[in-house]
Amino acid sequence: MSPLAKLTDVSKFYGNIRALEGVSLEVHAGEITCVLGDNGAGKSTLIKIIAGLHQHDAGTFEIEGEEAKLSSPREALNRGIATVYQDLAVVPLMPVWRNFFLGSEPTKGAGPFKRLDVQKMRETTRAELLRMGIDLRDVDQPIGTLSGGERQCVAIARAVYFGAKVLVLDEPTAALGVKQSGVVLKYVAAARDAGLGVVLITHNPHHAYLVGDRFVLLKRGSMAGSHTKSQIALDELTRQMAGGSELDQLSHELERAPGPDVIGGKPVGSAED
């Protein structure tokens, strides 16, 4: 099957600064493509290009086989690309259902009698969250009262409901504990099983390997590797993510130089023995 989205040798420059150069990746329906890299690796720039915030300067970006140069996040949404950022862009004091439909609220009535269809929003939010396996006690509670993992899951369910074909997730587990991270990864897998192509941005190779089908490694704005799950083991993925040969060299440099054995604060074999 042809990919839902495909980047080929994509580059982005800000004046003389190279933010991204020669990056390629594919996003397939029902698969998770993980983009891994340290801070400053170019992950944020890549997200902005896919999400329509920035345009690439070189290379090609194709959506369902058609070359594209997105001019805005709204155009990306219209083309089926939804991005969930770390800050989630929610209004903490508003109820869950209101955040679920934020910016896309259905209405009923006409003219001066036009008003929000609150009942539809409540029922739809509850049903869509249940369909993703999220059973909230009350969709009227402020979304700020939910845990970080639950808020991430609401954002994922919202993207699925509004017809996303490609779901981009920006470090969804970065600020979460082990248990909440597991919950979020479960819903990331649920989005994949619903037929979406998922791009998971992360710096955690263990989380990536749990759910990922393809892995793209970035380093200082360039490609450091591209693998399918069958081509690489977790240990090697972690090693490449950590710097590979650079890490080996650092380990060698930090090795403690062998010194005399010490017993009771005095070197063994000293003149005082």
Side-chain angles (χ1 to χ4, degrees):
M1 291 178 63
S2 60
L4 295 173
K6 181 179 179 181
L7 281 75
T8 307
D9 293 328
V10 163
S11 301
K12 179 66 181 176
F13 299 90
Y14 299 100
N16 293 326
I17 300 171
R18 181 196 71 178
L20 213 61
E21 187 172 19
V23 173
S24 301
L25 65 83
E26 293 184 0
V27 185
H28 291 260
E31 287 189 1
I32 297 174
T33 299
C34 298
V35 179
L36 300 103
D38 252 333
N39 293 334
K43 304 191 299 295
S44 296
T45 303
L46 182 64
I47 290 174
K48 289 171 183 174
I49 291 171
I50 298 173
L53 277 166
H54 291 172
Q55 293 186 343
H56 53 287
D57 296 319
T60 58
F61 178 19
E62 298 173 44
I63 300 174
E64 295 185 292
E66 182 182 336
E67 192 166 339
K69 209 159 191 178
L70 301 174
S71 59
S72 68
R74 175 56 64 183
E75 186 183 352
L77 279 170
N78 292 340
R79 299 288 294 269
I81 299 175
T83 303
V84 178
Y85 295 97
Q86 263 182 289
D87 58 13
L88 298 179
V90 297
V91 183
L93 295 179
M94 280 187 177
V96 174
W97 62 264
R98 190 69 193 270
N99 275 278
F100 192 91
F101 281 93
L102 197 61
S104 304
E105 294 87 348
T107 58
K108 60 182 179 180
F113 302 103
K114 190 175 183 180
R115 60 199 183 278
L116 294 178
D117 193 341
V118 175
Q119 183 179 355
K120 179 181 178 180
M121 286 191 277
R122 282 195 179 110
E123 291 174 353
T124 302
T125 301
R126 188 176 289 109
E128 288 302 312
L129 292 178
L130 274 174
R131 194 163 72 88
M132 289 287 289
I134 308 166
D135 188 8
L136 285 184
R137 298 175 298 279
D138 182 12
V139 294
D140 282 301
Q141 67 189 102
I143 199 167
T145 63
L146 302 182
S147 69
E150 288 172 327
R151 290 197 295 273
Q152 285 281 356
C153 298
V154 170
I156 292 169
R158 182 184 191 276
V160 172
Y161 172 73
F162 281 102
K165 297 177 183 177
V166 175
L167 178 62
V168 184
L169 299 169
D170 176 22
E171 301 270 12
T173 61
L176 303 180
V178 175
K179 187 175 180 181
Q180 286 192 32
S181 294
V183 170
V184 171
L185 291 175
K186 185 172 78 171
Y187 296 122
V188 172
R192 172 200 64 198
D193 295 341
L196 276 71
V198 180
V199 180
L200 177 63
I201 312 292
T202 182
H203 63 266
N204 190 317
H206 292 84
H207 290 170
Y209 204 79
L210 279 172
V211 295
D213 300 290
R214 300 168 185 269
F215 307 99
V216 173
L217 289 98
L218 298 182
K219 181 180 177 183
R220 296 173 189 167
S222 300
M223 296 271 291
S226 180
H227 313 278
T228 61
K229 195 165 190 173
S230 60
Q231 294 173 332
I232 192 166
L234 174 58
D235 288 348
E236 179 59 21
L237 183 68
T238 304
R239 181 178 175 277
Q240 289 190 21
M241 167 75 187
S245 58
E246 289 182 11
L247 188 66
D248 294 339
Q249 183 180 348
L250 181 63
S251 299
H252 178 71
E253 290 174 1
L254 295 178
E255 262 182 22
R256 186 188 295 273
D261 293 330
V262 176
I263 298 176
K266 297 184 296 181
V268 175
S270 67
E272 297 178 22
D273 288 344

